[in-house]
Amino acid sequence: MNLLIIIILAAILQYVAPWWTAALVPFLVLLWRPSQTSFGAFLTGFAAIGLLWLVYGLYLHSSSEGALSNRIATIFSLPNGILLLLITVVVGGLVGGFASLTGFFLRKSTS
């Protein structure tokens, strides 16, 4: 359930707010609705933000027929835009995972 809440709220907020809402949403959701374990909390945030950024990145990649992501990939000396997308998904997933883990531990420390 937390996974779905994070995906929906982060998708809405990232449409109108800066990228770092990808950290704010999982933090607040896991602060409000805790997970059973710390690994579960991390995995929830990682999967939610990673999946959201993957879907949005694939949409941008396909809508420009790969031109935009391939050009950005050459700036970073990467062979293609798909590798850039995968790196972006991992970075976003780590941001979401550590943010949700922080929310989990903060809730646990105050109760």
Side-chain angles (χ1 to χ4, degrees):
M1 186 65 167
N2 287 346
L3 182 81
L4 191 59
I5 294 170
I6 293 171
I7 289 174
I8 291 170
L9 289 177
I12 292 168
L13 281 178
Q14 287 191 353
Y15 187 72
V16 296
W19 73 270
W20 48 264
T21 57
L24 187 63
V25 172
F27 171 77
L28 293 174
V29 169
L30 268 290
L31 187 63
W32 170 52
R33 294 177 43 99
S35 178
Q36 294 294 329
T37 64
S38 58
F39 181 72
F42 178 82
L43 196 59
T44 299
F46 186 92
I49 300 301
L51 184 64
L52 177 65
W53 284 19
L54 175 66
V55 169
Y56 188 58
L58 284 174
Y59 167 73
L60 291 177
H61 181 77
S62 65
S63 67
S64 69
E65 297 176 358
L68 180 63
S69 55
N70 287 333
R71 286 182 185 167
I72 295 172
T74 58
I75 293 171
F76 291 107
S77 301
L78 296 173
N80 56 34
I82 296 296
L83 182 60
L84 175 70
L85 177 63
L86 293 177
I87 292 170
T88 303
V89 168
V90 170
V91 169
L94 288 172
V95 167
F98 285 122
S100 62
L101 190 62
T102 303
F104 172 82
F105 282 133
L106 184 63
R107 180 181 174 101
K108 199 169 186 178
S109 71
T110 59
S111 61

